[in-house]
Amino acid sequence: MTDVGSSIPRRQLGRILRQAREQAGLSMEAAGTDLEWSRSTMYRIEGGQAAVKARDVEAMCRLYGTSDEMTEALKKLAAETKAKGWWHAYGDTLPAWFELYVGLEAAAARLRHWEPATIPGLLQTREYAEHLLRSHPDIPPREVGRLVEVRIERQKILTRRKPEPPRLEVIVDEGVLRRQVPGMGRQLTHLHAQTAAGVASVRVVPRSAPPSFALTGGQFIILEFPSIGLRTPEPTTVYSESLTGALYLDKPAEVATYAKAWRSLEEVAFDLSRSADLIAAIAKEMSDD
């Protein structure tokens, strides 16, 4: 089991194969027909959501007219797509679209997380996480404990020694801090302690903030990746989760839009010191919850 698992190799392989297909002038549907694969299979491979066999890579490269040298390199990369991350032990509990995110999160050098609804998962207490998960009508009670363990295990990336932990920057809405959740006082105390320890930087958008397009756009996380050896870094990616799935956006124009939203949020959020004071004050108010 590894910290990063197969997420990065899958994404790299899928991106290169997609580029090769496009250079060959083939649509996803046309390539799938020639390979006798469904569109969903093509989508999963190119989206980095599936391990890929070397013989399948060879078949795709042959169809796309890829050079022998590139084909061999991609076949070696395909072998890396089978690496197992620690979270694969929870594969029967985690949705497939979230497994990809856990690997990307572990590989990131910087995470910028805007959260208008809840405390971010990397900063949640066990008690808070359990309450949120138990409120979900589609999560069987027997699975809650396993999902809480996944959330707690994910948090270890913030205090690891090697590789260097990612820089976590969080902006939350003040309403998140004031929501009446069991154990909220303890959650806010934990949040304040994490910021004081330098594990994360947390800023708060006050209730008095003026309207902004970023405030109405929903939750998102911008992930930036380091260089690994001689390989170029993975492209900066935006992750946006919904009730039934998630979007992974890495086109430059898409990332630029979310970067603008982040800057807009920074403009209306309290600075780090004032945010920490507010978190501490609300934690004290809720200390008897």
Side-chain angles (χ1 to χ4, degrees):
M1 295 290 182
T2 69
D3 286 338
V4 176
S6 60
S7 292
I8 295 297
R10 288 183 185 187
R11 288 241 307 174
Q12 292 174 331
L13 180 60
R15 187 171 61 257
I16 296 170
L17 288 171
R18 182 181 71 244
Q19 292 170 349
R21 173 180 60 75
E22 292 172 345
Q23 290 172 359
L26 290 170
S27 67
M28 186 181 290
E29 290 77 7
T33 298
D34 285 347
L35 294 164
E36 298 184 348
W37 295 344
S38 66
R39 189 180 190 283
S40 63
T41 296
M42 292 290 298
Y43 181 84
R44 284 176 57 78
I45 291 174
E46 292 189 0
Q49 298 180 27
V52 188
K53 296 177 181 177
R55 66 169 180 266
D56 291 337
V57 168
E58 189 168 14
M60 297 174 82
C61 288
R62 187 165 55 248
L63 176 63
Y64 304 155
T66 306
S67 69
D68 291 342
E69 293 80 3
M70 177 60 77
T71 298
E72 288 305 310
L74 294 182
K75 286 168 65 177
K76 291 179 181 178
L77 189 54
E80 296 182 40
T81 68
K82 300 178 178 64
K84 297 291 187 182
W86 60 263
W87 57 91
H88 283 79
Y90 299 87
D92 57 337
T93 300
L94 290 178
W97 50 264
F98 190 67
E99 281 192 43
L100 174 61
Y101 174 75
V102 176
L104 295 179
E105 179 183 72
R110 182 187 184 194
L111 300 162
R112 285 178 283 172
H113 190 155
W114 157 239
E115 186 51 73
T118 64
I119 301 295
L122 289 178
L123 298 174
Q124 291 177 7
T125 62
R126 183 181 296 272
E127 183 180 12
Y128 183 93
E130 182 173 340
H131 176 78
L132 290 183
L133 290 166
R134 287 195 184 283
S135 72
H136 198 300
D138 294 330
I139 297 178
R142 65 180 181 277
E143 298 291 351
V144 169
R146 285 171 59 80
L147 288 171
V148 171
E149 290 305 320
V150 171
R151 197 158 297 186
I152 299 302
E153 188 70 26
R154 283 171 51 208
Q155 296 174 1
K156 292 181 180 179
I157 67 170
L158 299 177
T159 54
R160 70 191 179 195
R161 294 188 177 182
K162 291 186 178 180
E164 186 176 340
R167 190 163 84 249
L168 176 60
E169 301 169 36
V170 171
I171 301 178
V172 297
D173 187 85
E174 182 178 347
V176 171
L177 309 180
R178 296 190 179 278
R179 187 154 290 127
Q180 296 295 322
V181 177
M184 194 60 176
R186 290 180 288 278
Q187 170 63 74
L188 293 179
T189 298
H190 173 73
L191 183 64
H192 188 271
Q194 294 290 80
T195 60
V199 173
S201 65
V202 180
R203 296 178 61 184
V204 180
V205 174
R207 291 182 295 189
S208 59
S212 164
F213 82 100
L215 293 175
T216 60
Q219 172 265 12
F220 64 83
I221 303 170
I222 304 175
L223 302 96
E224 298 176 26
F225 302 94
S227 298
I228 302 176
L230 298 177
R231 293 182 184 175
T232 57
E234 275 293 284
T236 298
T237 300
V238 175
Y239 173 81
S240 180
E241 188 174 314
S242 68
L243 292 176
T244 56
L247 293 175
Y248 294 87
L249 309 172
D250 59 12
K251 294 180 180 178
E254 296 170 330
V255 174
T257 296
Y258 280 89
K260 290 177 184 176
W262 182 263
R263 289 194 294 272
S264 176
L265 290 165
E266 287 184 314
E267 290 174 0
V268 298
F270 285 155
D271 63 22
L272 291 173
S273 178
R274 194 171 178 186
S275 295
D277 289 344
L278 179 60
I279 293 170
I282 300 175
K284 187 174 182 181
E285 292 173 14
M286 296 188 172
S287 61
D288 294 328
D289 59 356

